[in-house]
Amino acid sequence: QVQIVESGGGLVQPGGSLRLSCTASGSIFSIYAMGWYRQAPGKERELVARRLSDGSEHYGDSVKGRFTISRDNVKYTVNLQMDSLKSEDTAVYYCNVGLWDSNSSYYDYWGQGTQVTVSS
């Protein structure tokens, strides 16, 4: 089993910054992807940013240039630095970890979600 623990989030004014952190632990063989998704009320879950094991990064169009993802492959952590926050960034943010087990089976794990609210 793999456990995902998120931290960060909260209330911030427009233009402010927040940092989200996520750590994976447990039976980890090989992590392929670590990243963040978000879901606003009435909307589908969408990609915010993710970093793959080959170092490539993918960002949602709405956050490019404002958010930065970083990953520590030794500590199994992924961080999301969010700058120049806007009200439309308000959502529940979920950490996602995609990994291969020793039998070459692929699994997706999700954190419990952390609320980010951007409001004056």
Side-chain angles (χ1 to χ4, degrees):
Q1 283 293 334
V2 175
Q3 295 77 43
I4 307 294
V5 177
E6 302 159 337
S7 62
L11 174 64
V12 64
Q13 293 185 345
S17 298
L18 279 176
R19 182 179 177 88
L20 304 182
S21 295
C22 170
T23 300
S25 62
S27 301
I28 296 173
F29 182 72
S30 178
I31 293 181
Y32 172 66
M34 297 189 78
W36 293 89
Y37 291 71
R38 69 185 182 187
Q39 188 166 19
K43 295 187 176 181
E44 294 185 353
R45 189 172 297 189
E46 64 175 0
L47 171 70
V48 177
R50 70 172 186 168
R51 186 177 174 96
L52 304 184
S53 57
D54 64 2
S56 62
E57 297 178 349
H58 305 96
Y59 289 91
D61 288 340
S62 62
V63 307
K64 287 179 181 177
R66 301 187 297 122
F67 291 10
T68 304
I69 191 169
S70 60
R71 172 176 163 176
D72 186 324
N73 294 326
V74 175
K75 297 181 178 179
Y76 301 139
T77 61
V78 61
N79 301 309
L80 183 69
Q81 178 65 38
M82 304 185 292
D83 298 318
S84 303
L85 282 160
K86 306 175 181 179
S87 58
E88 50 263 45
D89 294 317
T90 295
V92 178
Y93 284 68
Y94 297 91
C95 178
N96 170 261
V97 176
L99 58 83
W100 301 95
D101 70 6
S102 57
N103 296 316
S104 300
S105 296
Y106 188 79
Y107 296 93
D108 264 322
Y109 290 92
W110 295 90
Q112 77 281 4
T114 184
Q115 177 70 46
V116 172
T117 302
V118 184
S119 175
S120 56

